[in-house]
Amino acid sequence: MFVKIPTITGTIDRRILVNFVVEPEAIRKVVPEPFSPKIVNGKAIAGICLIRLKHVRPKGLPAFIGIGSENGAHRIAVEWREGDELKEGVFIPRRDSSSTFNTIAGGNIFPGKHFKAKFEVRENDTEYHVSFVSSDGTSISVDAALTDQLNEGSIFKDMDEASAFFKKGAAGYSPNGEKYEGLLLNTYRWDIKPLKVTSVHSNFFEDESLFPKGSAKFDNALLMTNIDHEWSSLASKHH
């Protein structure tokens, strides 16, 4: 029996959020109780987080002992009640990682079961290609470049509104057996930029048995780089 590490620290080297708008009736089939989808202008917000971490280690230990990894997470913006208080964050139906350590430790040493995935990354200061294929065939691919404005036609009116929305998604819950394990992201600064996407693929959001044709549509993509952060455990929620 592992003892969970209370706080993990490191650096978000690169974090791409690829975001979709989804019809509420479709996303409700994917979101379990006690969570419910957060609705923005009549749509649910879901997406993919493609994050490269470095220097990840228990808080208090030196950076040089930390590990690095490429990781992917499917995310759905949700709300839930704790007593009389309405909370918000994200439900993460699955996590994937390039790191064997993460696949072993996830759900044991730190919250959230991880699937092992093979990543392909090509990037420079302005252009990004990130893709992966996981052990069970789940696949994601995105090509994007830095731009100076939010995707035209986004459900968010501007970058300020989009940034504020995603900043509230710091608490994430992932399934692990009979419970949903919680992880809280604390970033030491919040700096997010828009990306122009030239191609995007996700066989999760393209699965018409989950999302009938036209019910999930790409909305926008955002980028964070070089952000120091901490992860800390939240109390689990049970089915």
Side-chain angles (χ1 to χ4, degrees):
M1 179 70 179
F2 290 105
V3 176
K4 284 191 169 60
I5 295 170
T7 304
I8 299 167
T9 190
T11 300
I12 297 171
D13 195 32
R14 180 261 299 132
R15 184 191 196 200
I16 295 174
L17 296 175
V18 183
N19 304 304
F20 294 77
V21 289
V22 185
E23 295 300 330
E25 60 269 24
I27 207 73
R28 286 192 180 101
K29 299 174 185 176
V30 183
V31 175
E33 293 183 352
F35 308 106
S36 59
K38 183 174 174 63
I39 305 302
V40 177
N41 297 331
K43 304 291 185 181
I45 308 296
I48 307 153
C49 173
L50 297 166
I51 188 169
R52 181 168 60 235
L53 302 172
K54 63 181 184 180
H55 307 315
V56 175
R57 74 277 184 194
K59 187 176 182 180
L61 296 181
F64 74 84
I65 74 156
I67 63 171
S69 60
E70 289 280 355
N71 303 276
H74 292 73
R75 301 157 35 99
I76 301 164
V78 294
E79 300 173 323
W80 65 94
R81 288 208 167 270
E82 291 184 9
D84 295 331
E85 190 174 359
L86 185 65
K87 301 274 193 176
E88 61 182 289
V90 291
F91 174 66
I92 302 171
R94 65 175 294 136
R95 296 179 182 271
D96 297 270
S97 181
S98 66
S99 165
T100 299
F101 174 80
N102 286 356
T103 63
I104 295 169
N108 292 309
I109 296 176
F110 55 80
K113 180 181 176 182
H114 290 61
F115 291 84
K116 184 70 186 298
K118 183 176 181 180
F119 282 74
E120 180 182 323
V121 179
R122 299 189 303 273
E123 62 188 29
N124 54 38
D125 290 342
T126 60
E127 297 177 314
Y128 299 86
H129 167 85
V130 183
S131 63
F132 74 75
V133 178
S134 196
S135 55
D136 66 349
T138 297
S139 61
I140 286 172
S141 178
V142 62
D143 290 277
L146 269 177
T147 185
D148 57 3
Q149 61 185 9
L150 191 66
N151 187 47
E152 188 175 350
S154 170
I155 202 163
F156 301 104
K157 66 181 181 182
D158 54 31
M159 271 300 297
D160 287 344
E161 186 176 83
S163 177
F165 178 86
F166 290 103
K167 189 174 184 180
K168 292 178 181 177
Y173 285 88
S174 307
N176 186 14
E178 296 299 313
K179 61 185 182 296
Y180 302 110
E181 295 181 328
L183 203 58
L184 181 67
L185 171 63
N186 176 34
T187 53
Y188 296 165
R189 64 185 176 90
W190 185 260
D191 182 15
I192 198 161
K193 299 173 183 176
L195 288 170
K196 180 178 177 60
V197 169
T198 53
S199 72
V200 60
H201 154 75
S202 161
N203 64 357
F204 179 75
F205 289 109
E206 293 163 11
D207 182 349
E208 292 185 10
S209 69
L210 294 175
F211 304 105
K213 192 173 181 63
S215 64
K217 298 178 181 179
F218 169 76
D219 187 81
N220 70 80
L222 305 168
L223 174 72
M224 302 175 75
T225 57
N226 196 32
I227 305 288
D228 290 332
H229 71 288
E230 293 180 358
W231 303 100
S232 55
S233 298
L234 296 168
S236 295
K237 298 185 180 300
H238 292 269
H239 294 201

